[in-house]
């Protein structure tokens, strides 16, 4: 460790502890990863509320598109971005070499997180109908998504 000194300030540089040596670090890594995956569909739901506020579904219906086509376009348009972000998060977690992500259940856990995304997007879009304003959706939907995932986790565990 080197010491950097100034007039009244002293900082000591130390190496960061490895995740392999800290079970708490592994738990925190998994919690951050799970929270990131849970909040992936939030922008899609906020955009759906913003579209409804502007009357876009009614205009598309007047132009000949059915509500189901609009919903499918939102889901199929947003899922690739969610998948790319989730794969990136999983790659970062594996690169950090957290013990739970390197064990025999690592691949099934990654597969489950990728299968979870379409369900999470559908759940977020259904919950978006509770809101009239995009700002309200952006403020409250993360809490509802976390509660929904907690119920799913409690059911499986």
């Amino acid at each position: 460790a080197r010491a950097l000194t100034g007039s009244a300030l002293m900082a000591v540089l130390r190496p960061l502890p490895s995740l392999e040596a800290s079970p708490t670090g592994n738990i925190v890594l998994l919690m951050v990863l799970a929270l990131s995956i849970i909040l992936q569909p939030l922008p899609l739901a906020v955009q759906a509320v913003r579209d409804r506020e502007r009357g876009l579904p009614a205009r598309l219906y007047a132009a000949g598109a059915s509500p189901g086509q609009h919903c499918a376009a939102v889901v199929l348009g947003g899922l690739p971005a969610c998948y790319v972000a989730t794969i990136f998060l999983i790659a970062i977690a594996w690169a950090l070499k957290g013990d739970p992500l390197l064990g025999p259940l690592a691949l099934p856990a990654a597969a489950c997180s990728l299968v979870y995304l379409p369900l999470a997007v559908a759940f977020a879009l259904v919950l978006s109908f509770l809101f009239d304003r995009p700002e309200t959706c952006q403020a409250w939907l993360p809490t509802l998504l976390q509660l929904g995932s907690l119920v799913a986790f409690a059911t499986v565990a």
Side-chain angles (χ1 to χ4, degrees):
R2 287 185 322 196
L4 300 174
T5 58
S7 59
L9 186 64
M10 182 176 154
V12 177
L13 300 175
R14 294 187 183 151
L16 291 173
S18 129
L19 286 176
E20 295 168 355
S22 168
T24 306
N26 288 327
I27 293 169
V28 169
L29 174 67
L30 289 175
M31 289 175 61
V32 168
L33 180 65
L35 182 63
S36 300
I37 291 172
I38 289 167
L39 297 178
Q40 289 284 330
L42 179 64
L44 295 175
V46 172
Q47 185 62 40
V49 174
R50 188 171 290 123
D51 288 347
R52 282 195 307 274
E53 184 182 50
R54 294 178 181 162
L56 183 65
R59 286 188 229 158
L60 288 173
Y61 183 71
S66 72
Q69 289 172 328
H70 175 252
C71 183
V74 169
V75 169
L76 293 177
L79 269 180
C82 290
Y83 275 123
V84 167
T86 301
I87 290 170
F88 186 65
L89 288 169
I90 291 170
I92 288 173
W94 277 338
L96 292 175
K97 298 181 181 168
D99 288 340
L101 298 169
L102 296 174
L105 297 177
L107 253 46
C112 286
S113 65
L114 294 176
V115 170
Y116 167 79
L117 281 176
L119 303 172
V121 167
F123 184 61
L125 289 175
V126 167
L127 287 179
S128 74
F129 284 97
L130 296 173
F131 305 103
D132 293 331
R133 309 259 319 138
E135 296 82 13
T136 311
C137 180
Q138 193 165 6
W140 287 99
L141 190 60
T143 304
L144 294 176
L145 290 173
Q146 290 171 3
L147 287 174
S149 65
L150 181 65
V151 168
F153 178 75
T155 304
V156 172

